[in-house]
Amino acid sequence: MEFVLITFLNGLGYGFLLFMLSSGLTLIYSMMGVPNFAHASFYMLGAYVAYSISTVLGFWPALFIAPVAVGLAGALVEHYGLRIVHRYGHVPELLFTFGLSYLVVEAVQLVWGRSPVPYRIPPSLEGTLFTLYSTSFPVYRGFMLLVAAAMLLAIWLVLRHTRIGLTIQAALTHPHMAEALGHNVPRVFMLVFGGGCALAALAGVIGGNAFVTEPGMAAGVGSIIFVVVVVGGLGSLAGAFIISLLIGLMQTFAVALDYSLGGLLAALHVSAPASGPLAPVLRLTLAQVAPILPYLLLVGMLIVRPKGLMGKREG
């Protein structure tokens, strides 16, 4: 029971962090139709900007300033770059964001170097939140869950119960009608792109010191984000939330389990071949294959339901 509860909480924290990343990308795709390949780079940028601000002002100002600064940078990228490329079609947009991701990585290495930076958990959030049996659950893990839950609630309230949220939804589904009613749709695009980048930066602020802040951190989560968005259903926030939690729990439990298919066969009193082409596969443990489980889920979903879990059929 101790193992299940602690692993469940850790998986929940990882899943919420994935949703913080994928929610911004989902909003951007649902409005502009562009899978932003540079999205994970804004996550990395948020961690580095928060590190620099925290060395001067402390962690709490960095928690609010860094997402706003990165969100403004994202809005400028949309206004002066992506908006111009948009008229030429989706392929130039993809190439633009793909090149932007490399540009951000190189800029980070020029400014902060290639080695990890000492972005640490603030002293006020160190320590144990509670103890289950003999295992301690850190305060910072609870803080990550709280921030992610607050962000989820804020997105829901903004999109469902505010005038700007209604304008965004109108621009999502009927952009020409929204523009005919006097709304500045390009400005709404810029707002959503900047807001999506700010959400990614917020994930970087609270995830950068929980893990490691280094130039390769964007590449480490970039592919997982797209798995979440595609499997959940392109443009579906609810689907992204469900799949984020599923992948977080699945990977966290898999990493902690050292079972193999050969061991399962032995427990069932079935003789497994000690040599041959299948022997190495039977010896693979669940912890060893944990990194590829999300991609197996992606392949399976594309075969069974190409639109994703909560995606909508075109036409």
Side-chain angles (χ1 to χ4, degrees), residues 144-275:
M144 290 174 64
L145 289 171
L146 179 64
V147 172
M151 187 212 71
L152 174 62
L153 178 63
I155 292 175
W156 181 78
L157 289 175
V158 168
L159 291 179
R160 296 293 182 183
H161 298 283
T162 65
R163 183 178 179 82
I164 190 170
L166 295 176
T167 304
I168 290 172
Q169 291 186 73
L172 284 175
T173 54
H174 301 90
H176 298 296
M177 182 63 72
E179 199 162 17
L181 291 172
H183 298 291
N184 191 333
V185 173
R187 185 180 297 173
V188 175
F189 283 2
M190 183 176 68
L191 174 66
V192 171
F193 193 88
C197 294
L199 291 177
L202 178 61
V205 173
I206 68 170
N209 49 15
F211 301 104
V212 180
T213 300
E214 48 92 20
M217 63 188 298
V221 298
S223 58
I224 297 292
I225 300 172
F226 280 96
V227 170
V228 171
V229 172
V230 173
V231 175
L234 290 172
S236 172
L237 277 174
F241 177 69
I242 294 171
I243 297 302
S244 294
L245 295 185
L246 176 63
I247 290 179
L249 292 170
M250 180 175 64
Q251 282 202 293
T252 306
F253 273 97
V255 167
L257 295 174
D258 197 26
Y259 298 114
S260 66
L261 188 58
L264 177 62
L265 293 175
L268 296 174
H269 304 288
V270 177
S271 59
S275 60

